[in-house]
């Protein structure tokens, strides 16, 4: 009986690692910015560079590759001179975008509440001497 339990635990931990890894990929600030920027149709590298505030060219390149590898972006190269490259969300990424939109909305609605809670906590912690 215990052998079966061990197998189940192993399966759960094997599944948990990819889940954590995927969430780390898609929940990063750069990934969210890229996915949001590409949500309304194909977008070019230079547009992403302008839209995703603060991202370096290298970080943009690395994140685009990571999102493409995860099956969230499609990279299309057009045979023009110079080559035109566009990035589009996959259907899976469009579904993720809907979830991200909800999360961003939640963060915007509760930003003031969180700031007030932090100030109250910090004031209380200071009064307690902790």
């Amino acid at each position: 009986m215990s052998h079966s339990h061990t197998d189940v635990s192993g399966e759960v931990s094997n599944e948990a690692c990819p889940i954590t890894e995927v969430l780390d990929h898609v929940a990063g600030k750069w990934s969210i910015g890229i996915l949001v920027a590409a949500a309304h149709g194909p977008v070019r590298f230079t547009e992403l560079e302008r839209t995703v505030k603060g991202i370096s060219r290298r970080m943009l390149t690395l994140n685009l590759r990571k999102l493409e590898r995860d099956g969230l972006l499609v990279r299309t190269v057009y045979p023009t001179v110079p080559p035109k490259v566009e990035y589009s969300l996959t259907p899976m990424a469009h579904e993720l975008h809907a979830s991200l939109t909800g999360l961003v909305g939640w963060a915007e609605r509760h930003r003031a509440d969180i700031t007030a809670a932090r100030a109250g906590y910090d004031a209380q912690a200071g009064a307690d001497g902790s």
Side-chain angles (χ1 to χ4, degrees):
M1 288 265 190
S2 65
H3 185 282
S4 173
H5 176 71
T6 304
D7 289 345
V8 171
S9 297
E11 286 176 26
V12 170
S13 67
N14 286 342
E15 288 178 16
C17 288
I19 290 168
T20 303
E21 182 183 329
V22 167
L23 288 175
D24 284 348
H25 279 204
V26 301
K29 75 175 183 178
W30 301 131
S31 296
I32 290 172
I34 292 166
L35 293 170
V36 168
H40 301 295
V43 64
R44 296 178 72 174
F45 186 93
T46 52
E47 293 174 274
L48 288 168
E49 213 172 11
R50 279 194 309 270
T51 307
V52 183
K53 300 293 180 207
I55 195 166
S56 69
R57 185 167 281 234
R58 174 167 163 65
M59 283 308 294
L60 180 55
T61 299
L62 292 173
N63 278 272
L64 288 170
R65 285 183 187 152
K66 180 176 67 174
L67 291 168
E68 186 180 1
R69 182 173 181 247
D70 287 344
L72 297 170
L73 282 181
V74 174
R75 181 177 183 263
T76 305
V77 180
Y78 296 94
T80 57
V81 179
K84 177 182 170 185
V85 179
E86 289 182 336
Y87 297 89
S88 305
L89 298 189
T90 63
M92 182 171 56
H94 277 289
E95 182 183 342
L96 173 61
H97 179 261
S99 298
L100 289 175
T101 301
L103 182 60
V104 167
W106 176 88
E108 288 172 350
R109 286 190 305 278
H110 295 286
R111 183 184 334 197
D113 299 329
I114 291 169
T115 300
R118 286 178 180 171
Y121 181 91
D122 292 348
Q124 184 64 40
D128 291 345
S130 338

